Amino acid sequence: MVSVNGVTVSFGGYNLFDNVSFLINPKDRIGLAGKNGAGKSTMLKLLAGLQSPTKGEVSIPKECKIGYLPQDMTHQHGRTVFEETESAFAEIKAMQARLDDINHQLETRTDYESDSYMDLIHDLTEINTRLDIVGANNTNEEIEKVLLGLGFVRKEFERQTSEFSGGWRMRIELAKLLLQKPDVLMLDEPTNHLDIEAIQWLEEFMETFSGAVVLISHDKTFLDTVTKRTIEIVNQKIYDYRTNYSHYLELRAERKEQQENAAKNQQRIINQYETLIDKNRAKASKAAFAQSLIKKLDKMDRVEVDDVDTASVRFRFPAPAHSGKIVITAEHAGKAYGEKRIFSDANFIITKGEKIGLVGRNGEGKSTMMKMIAKKIQFEGNVQLGHSVLMGYFEQDQEEKLNLDKTVFETIDELAVGDVRRQVRSLLGSFLFGGDDIDKKVKVLSGGERGRLALCKLLLEPYNLLLLDEPTNHLDIKSKEVLKNALIDYEGTIVMVSHDRDFMTGMCDRLFEFRDGHVKEYLCDIKEFMEIRKVERLNQLDLDKSGVKAAAVVEKKQAAPSDFEAQEKKKQLAQIQSQIKKSEEEIERLEKEIKSLDDKLSVPETYDTLSKDPNFFNSYNKLKKDLETEMQKWEDLSAKII
């Protein structure tokens, strides 16, 4: 469908790509991979026909329709959300106008046997066929379905696009692209401005999308769900893997190992040749032999080991200061901006060491709650921090609040105190700010670099409560994994907002959902929550389709609130039982580990060896402490179902 043939792209004498070729087939699902600066976004522009290669060609058939969503774009104003989205059907509107004109001519003309009259009949048939294919009769229904899927509510359809933030306007552009049903859809970081539910809807949409998709994303779960092929850009070349992102990582590691082994073997041969050349070049009888070896070396194709980007953020959070058992208490908390009610009557308690995730659609109040906990805004009710709680707050736009005129080093140095003051350079190095980078002004840093610098500031004090509002924005996949591991190991309390499911998986086992003005607790991880939400959404779609039946169901539920309460209790019971099962599995695992160590300690020779290791008994005691904590957790959960 689209072919890349021997393409080279050069900037100032440097080749970004060098003689690369591949083919995009119908219904392909391709993810572009490679380190920052490898040329992924440039490749998308080439495929979209927005940039020309230095050499070679990108062949796009005339009838092939390309849809392209860049990271940044200019938005149109002066229309409502619905009107702007409806502009996606400009082709249909033009065809309908042409159809009206043809019908008018056929009604008024009398030259029935002329060639031009027959051409009109041919055009009429062709346009009607095309309108049937693109579904011209249900455009309003299509617009509504896509806008609702991307997180808009019906009352927002008539609001002006200028009233929305850049992220929401980007959703409108995405909606227009999806409605145009292009043959090839190019998406550059499409999930950046989407919440979890909108991302899940987009994944489901992609399952039935009839065209090919080429995308760039730092959302690992999204890549794994959508893509079936990964094209890696590295060292000016491409490698084509017929698999999703996670499997590609495994195959890439194997490829690199093979390259390294081949390079070592080749270097061994080169060393042998060079030794023989040095021995024999001065001997008249062996000169010809030495010259033949020199020619062999000159002709040898050297094995290249791909320069895979191994740099990533590496750090651990400092041990948190001691705090009381109750960290945050919320009682009848709520917030409204003027007449707009965000949420009300939020009640919860967060205890020491918990890792809590705030989830829900954009605009439902997650970031608002974070600001309430941090006492950044006025609100209703009470939100109280516990005894000796020392809070670190990473805001969603934290990187934008950095002083642009300070250098990287000055930003951290002015806040560092005590022993940390002597470790500023090594601390910055762990966040990939090395050498001359520490003298750069903040204003010249990329979004990702500013995000890393803002995260670095959190390590300057031993906070025992971290509020993290979208901490993974602008981070690449590897840096997200390192941050995730650091947070899992962190012994303090975490409350976080994130739309990255892979990042939240395995970290948060208690979620607060902000939805329709209420805050609801879920005792499950993000995967279970998404399944619950998916089932509820499908049930709602069934109700919407049933029309009158839906109204009857609603009336029945309103007439019998006890049924609803029983269902809610049943759902909560299932969640608690799931948590109990997980707790029992963890208890079993810890008991096995402790028993294994006890067996080793019972052997005198082994005991002598282990007792010399200062870290052994620390690990042993930690296992016992973890078992005690897990047993208490199991008891607390069991008490809820008695």
Side-chain angles (χ1 to χ4, degrees):
M1 191 158 56
V2 176
S3 62
V4 177
N5 304 307
V7 163
T8 297
V9 174
S10 301
F11 293 107
Y14 170 76
N15 285 347
L16 195 58
F17 314 121
D18 187 12
N19 195 32
V20 301
S21 300
F22 62 92
L23 183 68
I24 299 174
N25 303 301
K27 297 190 177 181
D28 261 345
R29 297 291 188 269
I30 300 172
L32 295 183
K35 67 180 182 180
N36 292 338
K40 300 187 295 294
S41 293
T42 301
M43 180 60 78
L44 272 194
K45 290 175 184 174
L46 288 170
L47 295 172
L50 300 176
Q51 188 171 323
S52 300
T54 308
K55 292 180 184 177
E57 64 174 357
V58 178
S59 299
I60 305 172
K62 188 177 180 181
E63 68 278 5
C64 181
K65 189 175 179 182
I66 302 291
Y68 172 57
L69 182 78
Q71 284 193 52
D72 303 300
M73 63 195 315
T74 303
H75 304 280
Q76 301 297 321
H77 297 309
R79 294 176 177 172
T80 65
V81 170
F82 195 91
E83 289 169 344
E84 180 61 29
T85 309
E86 193 178 28
S87 69
F89 295 114
E91 179 190 0
I92 289 177
K93 299 293 183 186
M95 284 193 291
Q96 288 173 334
R98 173 63 178 151
L99 195 63
D100 291 341
D101 179 56
I102 290 172
N103 284 324
H104 176 70
Q105 290 191 54
L106 292 176
E107 289 171 5
T108 56
R109 289 175 59 165
T110 57
D111 54 334
Y112 306 121
E113 296 183 5
S114 67
D115 290 342
S116 61
Y117 195 90
M118 296 306 294
D119 288 341
L120 285 176
I121 294 175
H122 177 267
D123 290 347
L124 179 72
T125 304
E126 195 173 82
I127 291 172
N128 277 321
T129 301
R130 177 65 179 161
L131 287 173
D132 286 340
I133 291 172
V134 298
N137 295 325
N138 62 344
T139 55
N140 286 357
E141 182 184 334
E142 287 288 307
I143 291 170
E144 184 172 309
K145 183 179 77 172
V146 172
L147 287 177
L148 291 173
L150 289 175
F152 290 93
V153 293
R154 286 187 177 87
K155 64 182 180 182
E156 294 174 330
F157 290 179
E158 299 307 314
R159 286 177 58 189
Q160 292 289 312
T161 58
S162 57
E163 297 177 27
F164 290 86
S165 66
W168 282 98
R169 291 201 293 270
M170 189 65 75
R171 293 188 189 207
I172 297 172
E173 298 301 326
L174 178 57
K176 287 161 61 178
L177 274 183
L178 298 179
L179 289 167
Q180 287 168 6
K181 299 176 182 176
D183 298 301
V184 184
L185 186 59
M186 315 277 186
L187 304 174
D188 196 346
E189 294 289 356
T191 64
N192 269 1
H193 303 288
L194 302 182
D195 54 47
I196 289 179
E197 288 189 41
I199 293 171
Q200 190 178 43
W201 177 87
L202 182 58
E203 289 172 351
E204 293 166 5
F205 183 93
M206 289 299 179
E207 288 179 8
T208 57
F209 178 66
S210 59
V213 178
V214 184
L215 64 89
I216 300 168
S217 180
H218 286 155
D219 187 326
K220 187 177 177 182
T221 302
F222 183 73
L223 281 171
D224 281 345
T225 304
V226 174
T227 64
K228 302 292 185 292
R229 182 178 167 196
T230 303
I231 293 179
E232 180 190 28
I233 302 171
V234 59
N235 289 356
Q236 306 170 17
K237 304 187 293 289
I238 66 151
Y239 292 93
D240 200 341
Y241 297 85
R242 302 282 170 169
T243 187
N244 66 12
Y245 184 81
S246 289
H247 191 215
Y248 140 75
L249 291 177
E250 297 172 9
L251 296 176
R252 185 187 68 175
E254 292 175 9
R255 185 193 82 220
K256 189 167 188 295
E257 185 178 356
Q258 290 169 357
Q259 288 178 337
E260 288 172 344
N261 291 335
K264 287 177 183 176
N265 292 334
Q266 187 183 64
Q267 188 59 47
R268 193 158 46 243
I269 293 170
I270 290 170
N271 292 341
Q272 290 171 355
Y273 279 12
E274 288 176 344
T275 301
L276 289 171
I277 289 168
D278 290 339
K279 277 184 179 180
N280 296 294
R281 71 183 349 159
K283 300 176 183 177
S285 60
K286 299 288 187 178
F289 173 65
Q291 285 300 318
S292 68
L293 291 178
I294 291 172
K295 288 178 182 178
K296 281 186 179 181
L297 279 179
D298 291 340
K299 291 179 181 179
M300 187 180 290
D301 289 330
R302 302 299 172 106
V303 175
E304 290 185 20
V305 178
D306 291 329
D307 181 22
V308 179
D309 185 16
T310 56
S312 64
V313 179
R314 52 194 186 280
F315 69 95
R316 288 177 61 89
F317 284 97
H322 178 73
S323 72
K325 186 171 182 180
I326 304 298
V327 176
I328 303 172
T329 304
E331 297 176 321
H332 307 294
K335 179 62 182 176
Y337 290 98
E339 296 182 359
K340 185 178 181 181
R341 165 65 54 183
I342 307 300
F343 62 84
S344 58
D345 202 32
N347 297 278
F348 56 82
I349 293 174
I350 297 173
T351 59
K352 182 179 178 180
E354 282 195 293
K355 294 178 172 63
I356 305 295
L358 307 188
V359 296
R361 296 171 298 189
N362 286 345
E364 294 278 3
K366 303 183 299 295
S367 294
T368 299
M369 176 57 77
M370 299 288 258
K371 290 185 174 77
M372 289 164 59
I373 295 172
K375 300 293 191 288
K376 295 276 186 179
I377 56 174
Q378 298 293 318
F379 54 89
E380 306 156 5
N382 182 46
V383 178
Q384 189 67 40
L385 296 182
H387 177 67
S388 298
V389 172
L390 183 61
M391 180 187 67
Y393 181 25
F394 182 92
E395 298 182 68
Q396 194 171 139
D397 58 349
Q398 188 73 43
E399 65 272 13
E400 296 175 12
K401 297 184 177 182
L402 297 170
N403 189 324
L404 300 181
D405 294 320
K406 291 187 181 296
T407 66
V408 170
F409 182 82
E410 289 169 344
T411 300
I412 301 302
D413 185 59
E414 68 179 11
L415 297 174
V417 294
D419 291 339
V420 178
R421 193 74 184 268
R422 295 192 294 272
Q423 301 171 17
V424 169
R425 290 181 184 275
S426 61
L427 181 62
L428 286 170
S430 69
F431 279 82
L432 307 185
F433 294 107
D436 296 336
D437 290 340
I438 66 173
D439 296 320
K440 286 182 179 178
K441 295 278 190 182
V442 172
K443 60 187 172 187
V444 303
L445 300 179
S446 67
E449 288 171 329
R450 291 186 193 183
R452 295 204 307 267
L453 186 60
L455 275 172
C456 183
K457 291 174 66 176
L458 284 181
L459 272 67
L460 299 177
E461 292 191 50
Y463 299 116
N464 48 36
L465 169 63
L466 293 179
L467 303 181
L468 305 174
D469 195 352
E470 294 291 357
T472 62
N473 279 356
H474 307 299
L475 292 184
D476 59 31
I477 291 175
K478 284 192 300 179
S479 295
K480 285 182 188 180
E481 289 174 354
V482 176
L483 175 60
K484 177 179 176 177
N485 291 332
L487 290 172
I488 288 174
D489 292 339
Y490 175 66
E491 296 176 2
T493 307
I494 297 173
V495 180
M496 85 161 111
V497 176
S498 178
H499 295 144
D500 191 313
R501 291 158 296 171
D502 182 70
F503 184 73
M504 294 184 75
T505 299
M507 192 185 318
C508 300
D509 54 12
R510 189 169 166 225
L511 305 173
F512 295 150
E513 183 193 25
F514 289 69
R515 191 178 188 87
D516 299 330
H518 301 286
V519 181
K520 183 177 179 181
E521 180 181 0
Y522 286 81
L523 294 172
C524 63
D525 64 13
I526 190 65
K527 287 187 177 179
E528 281 184 75
F529 170 77
M530 294 310 299
E531 285 301 313
I532 293 169
R533 176 56 57 221
K534 184 175 182 179
V535 169
E536 289 178 352
R537 189 170 71 252
L538 291 173
N539 289 341
Q540 185 59 49
L541 284 173
D542 289 340
L543 290 176
D544 289 345
K545 288 177 182 176
S546 62
V548 176
K549 182 181 174 184
V553 172
V554 171
E555 286 177 9
K556 182 181 177 182
K557 282 190 178 257
Q558 289 175 343
S562 59
D563 292 345
F564 176 78
E565 290 171 4
Q567 288 181 1
E568 286 296 298
K569 286 181 179 178
K570 186 177 179 181
K571 190 187 296 181
Q572 290 176 8
L573 180 62
Q575 292 171 2
I576 294 171
Q577 288 172 334
S578 173
Q579 292 301 306
I580 289 174
K581 183 181 177 183
K582 288 182 181 178
S583 184
E584 288 171 346
E585 289 172 353
E586 179 65 8
I587 289 169
E588 184 179 353
R589 184 188 70 79
L590 290 168
E591 286 177 338
K592 282 182 179 178
E593 283 195 40
I594 292 170
K595 184 179 183 303
S596 174
L597 294 178
D598 285 339
D599 290 343
K600 290 179 181 179
L601 289 171
S602 64
V603 179
E605 295 82 0
T606 310
Y607 179 87
D608 291 339
T609 303
L610 293 175
S611 63
K612 293 175 183 176
D613 182 359
N615 295 320
F616 172 77
F617 284 105
N618 289 336
S619 301
Y620 181 70
N621 290 329
K622 185 177 185 301
L623 282 173
K624 287 194 168 183
K625 185 179 178 183
D626 289 346
L627 178 60
E628 185 180 332
T629 303
E630 197 63 39
M631 290 289 288
Q632 183 62 51
K633 179 180 176 181
W634 180 86
E635 288 179 16
D636 293 341
L637 287 168
S638 299
K640 292 182 180 181
I641 61 173
I642 294 175

